[in-house]
Amino acid sequence: MRILHTADWHLGHTLRDHSREREHEHFLSWLVDTVVEREVDALLIAGDVFESANPPPFAWRMWFEFLGALKRRRPAVQVVVIAGNHDSAARLEAPRDLLAAFDVRIIGRIRRDGERLVTDDLLVPLRGAAGTVGALCVAIPFLRASDVLAFAGLASTVAAKPAVDAATDSAAEGQIDDAGSDSGPEPVYELPMPGRSTDVDTATAEDPLIRGMRGFHAELFRAARAMRQPGQALVAMAHGYLVGGMLSELSERKVLGGNQHALPVDLFPTDCDYVALGHLHRPQPVAGRESVRYSGSPIPLSMPEREHPHHVVFADLADGGLAKTWSLRVPRLVPLLRIPERGASAPADALAAVAELPPRDPEIDDELRPLLEVAVRLAVPAPGIGERVAAACAEKNGRLTRVDITTTGASSGVEPTAGPRDLSTLAPEQLFRWRYARDHRGAVPAPLMAAFRELLDEVEHGPDEPLTVPAAGRLSPSDGSRSGRPIVDGRSGDASDVGEVGEGGEGVGDADADAAGEES
């Protein structure tokens, strides 16, 4: 039998407020064709179907239209879906009984009957082309800390090795509980660092979350072995971050203590013939086990993800085991461009590169034009550079997502001495020179220093003339209104050094993007 493994769709995703709807529609249409052409028997979707716990209506429409098209084209295919950390388990599971009638199995959460784990929900027989069961799928949805601690013999209120940043807990990031409401903050526990030993007797033995995960997996796989029949392969599916996985920059949301932590790969026993993982957006095997794989996301969810291909993974099973794994690249509908490809350019070079872009083609739909990021490096302040780049891009065949501003501060020879300083003893001009040196090389240019001294004189002594206020209704983007602002991000300096900073959105430069996923 043949399994197709995919994950991390993030339906409803936007890149700096630019919709990805057309790209997702293109992928879903391609996926239906692929399932039919490659004669897939089971489709495994390993979490993060949606970008958020409360997806927009068009994302739900795409999801249900995909399932309808898939079952019309290939009625015999089974679909097994688990919730990821971006999904709302309650909302994803809401139509589970209806979808079960069409051989679509949704697993959003785990359930307990008193002290006993309800394993029937998590064990899914998979049928081959002949209609006989060829594999047993152990489907594990994303687990929150409160789900896991019960298997460590701990209540969720037990205090043990709290992590530094409680905001990394999935509940603190807006995870929706089973009742459909915000579940509120939960305790966060420290997990092993990537690369640290996962030996049971050393690094992870006393960690309550690892102990809980081991207890959960042990109970579940015991039930799976009892249910599994001779000649059936054992397949597992889960959503999380495993030791040895490679993250995609700023795309994967922190889970179970954060992306700085990871779960040991030996949670999945060696008698698993294939493990289908979700959460990391880069396709990859884990810890040298070719049968334990992340499929990756089907489209790039952040600018750094443009650099690697995006795949779905096939697992061919025969004679009760894994025959082979192979992947198929997902065609990319919309290019993601960056100027320059890596690093950052001087303002003149960046503007020259933008000028060389092809002109905007009115025959191309706006949502199909390339997504563009421009990175500018400033050795000296360049007020308005963001607006200049945005204006240069306006008539080009690209959608500007971000102007990424970096500065080249020397920070040498002019910093205050170590230790706290009393600001009341420092002259404003001295502080200004220190701040300039932190972000830029060389001395403060004479015109800029003259402008600072003029401003300082006005602050200390008042302006020579009364200030005038523009008439109501006459503000323009250049006056500081939000309309028409370019999206400009600055690093190693404030927005005042480099121009205005754009509002909202996700992507490279956010502390917790998506853009997520995820990786994530």
Side-chain angles (χ1 to χ4, degrees):
M1 67 174 298
R2 173 165 290 170
I3 291 172
L4 191 155
H5 162 209
T6 179
D8 296 284
W9 295 0
H10 292 266
L11 301 180
H13 173 74
T14 61
L15 184 60
R16 293 285 183 172
D17 296 329
H18 291 282
S19 172
R20 315 299 298 280
E21 184 177 357
R22 293 286 291 274
E23 294 166 85
H24 275 126
E25 288 177 341
H26 178 261
F27 161 68
L28 294 175
S29 175
W30 174 87
L31 184 59
V32 170
D33 291 341
T34 300
V35 167
V36 174
E37 293 167 4
R38 305 288 175 163
E39 298 181 332
V40 171
D41 300 302
L43 173 65
L44 305 186
I45 306 174
D48 283 356
V49 176
F50 296 106
E51 168 68 8
S52 68
N54 189 20
F58 75 84
W60 283 110
R61 174 186 56 76
M62 282 194 292
W63 170 235
F64 290 123
E65 286 182 352
F66 162 75
L67 292 176
L70 179 69
K71 297 301 290 187
R72 283 191 295 271
R73 297 277 306 278
R74 188 163 174 81
V77 70
Q78 284 181 269
V79 182
V80 185
V81 187
I82 59 172
N85 60 295
H86 279 249
D87 300 312
S88 162
R91 291 191 176 97
L92 191 66
E93 279 195 335
R96 60 177 290 174
D97 290 341
L98 173 64
L99 293 178
F102 300 94
D103 225 354
V104 178
R105 186 77 167 265
I106 309 289
I107 299 101
R109 54 180 175 151
I110 62 173
R111 294 170 174 81
R112 298 179 67 91
D113 182 6
E115 296 300 315
R116 185 182 69 87
L117 173 67
V118 179
T119 58
D120 293 348
D121 289 346
L122 309 177
L123 303 178
V124 185
L126 301 179
R127 297 183 304 276
T132 57
V133 175
L136 182 64
C137 179
V138 180
I140 305 171
F142 170 71
L143 302 177
R144 295 180 292 166
S146 57
D147 298 322
V148 175
L149 290 175
F151 293 91
L154 298 172
S156 62
T157 56
V158 171
K161 297 174 68 177
V164 173
D165 184 5
T168 60
D169 184 72
S170 60
E173 294 178 310
Q175 179 73 24
I176 304 300
D177 64 15
D178 295 333
S181 60
D182 289 338
S183 56
E186 295 180 357
V188 181
Y189 299 88
E190 185 180 11
L191 296 179
M193 299 293 288
R196 184 189 296 175
S197 169
T198 57
D199 191 298
V200 178
D201 296 324
T202 56
T204 65
E206 298 303 320
D207 189 286
L209 277 178
I210 298 299
R211 190 161 69 249
M213 289 295 286
R214 290 194 186 282
F216 170 76
H217 278 239
E219 184 172 347
L220 184 55
F221 279 99
R222 256 195 317 271
R225 293 185 187 100
M227 182 176 176
R228 181 187 184 189
Q229 298 297 312
Q232 295 177 358
L234 183 60
V235 175
M237 177 165 60
H239 189 94
Y241 176 32
L242 268 62
V243 169
M246 184 181 296
L247 294 167
S248 294
E249 183 180 350
L250 298 169
S251 287
E252 288 103 9
R253 182 176 295 179
K254 299 173 181 178
V255 295
L256 271 181
N259 280 343
Q260 68 270 33
H261 305 106
L263 296 172
V265 70
D266 63 5
L267 287 172
F268 297 96
T270 55
D271 60 345
C272 282
D273 295 292
Y274 184 74
V275 180
L277 297 173
H279 181 58
L280 300 189
H281 297 171
R282 183 189 295 269
Q284 59 191 291
V286 179
R289 291 176 60 177
E290 289 294 323
S291 61
V292 181
R293 303 191 70 92
Y294 287 97
S295 66
S297 60
I299 67 171
L301 298 169
S302 68
M303 273 293 168
E305 292 183 19
R306 77 192 187 282
E307 297 183 343
H308 63 75
H310 296 261
H311 293 149
V312 296
V313 180
F314 295 85
D316 290 345
L317 308 175
D319 301 322
L322 179 66
K324 67 175 181 178
T325 62
W326 53 287
S327 62
L328 190 64
R329 181 176 292 194
V330 178
R332 189 173 295 181
L333 180 66
V334 174
L336 272 67
L337 308 177
R338 190 177 188 272
I339 296 176
E341 188 65 24
R342 289 183 177 83
S345 299
D349 294 336
L351 289 168
V354 170
E356 294 178 359
L357 293 173
R360 184 168 184 171
D361 186 348
E363 300 298 320
I364 298 178
D365 290 347
D366 188 64
E367 290 187 9
L368 299 182
R369 293 192 295 131
L371 294 164
L372 173 66
E373 177 178 290
V374 179
V376 180
R377 181 183 66 254
L378 299 182
V380 296
I385 184 61
E387 288 83 349
R388 292 170 62 194
V389 171
C393 292
E395 299 304 320
K396 298 297 182 179
N397 192 40
R399 291 173 288 164
L400 182 63
T401 63
R402 179 186 178 209
V403 180
D404 180 18
I405 303 294
T406 58
T407 55
T408 57
S411 299
S412 61
V414 291
E415 291 286 358
T417 57
R421 296 292 299 266
D422 183 357
L423 293 182
S424 64
T425 66
L426 302 177
E429 186 171 313
Q430 186 180 16
L431 284 174
F432 179 73
R433 290 181 184 277
W434 280 341
R435 174 54 191 271
Y436 182 90
R438 192 192 77 176
D439 294 341
H440 307 287
R441 297 187 183 276
V444 181
L448 182 61
M449 182 55 70
F452 173 79
R453 288 169 176 160
E454 182 179 347
L455 178 62
L456 179 63
D457 184 66
E458 284 193 7
V459 170
E460 291 179 340
H461 305 104
D464 294 335
E465 298 178 3
L467 294 176
T468 59
V469 179
R474 297 187 61 187
L475 282 177
S476 67
S478 60
D479 298 319
S481 68
R482 291 177 61 178
S483 174
R485 278 182 165 178
I487 300 173
V488 184
D489 284 350
R491 290 202 297 270
S492 302
D494 289 344
S496 57
D497 296 320
V498 297
E500 296 174 328
V501 178
E503 302 284 339
E506 290 185 289
V508 182
D510 289 328
D512 192 17
D514 117 347
E518 150 141 4
E519 277 235 106
S520 35

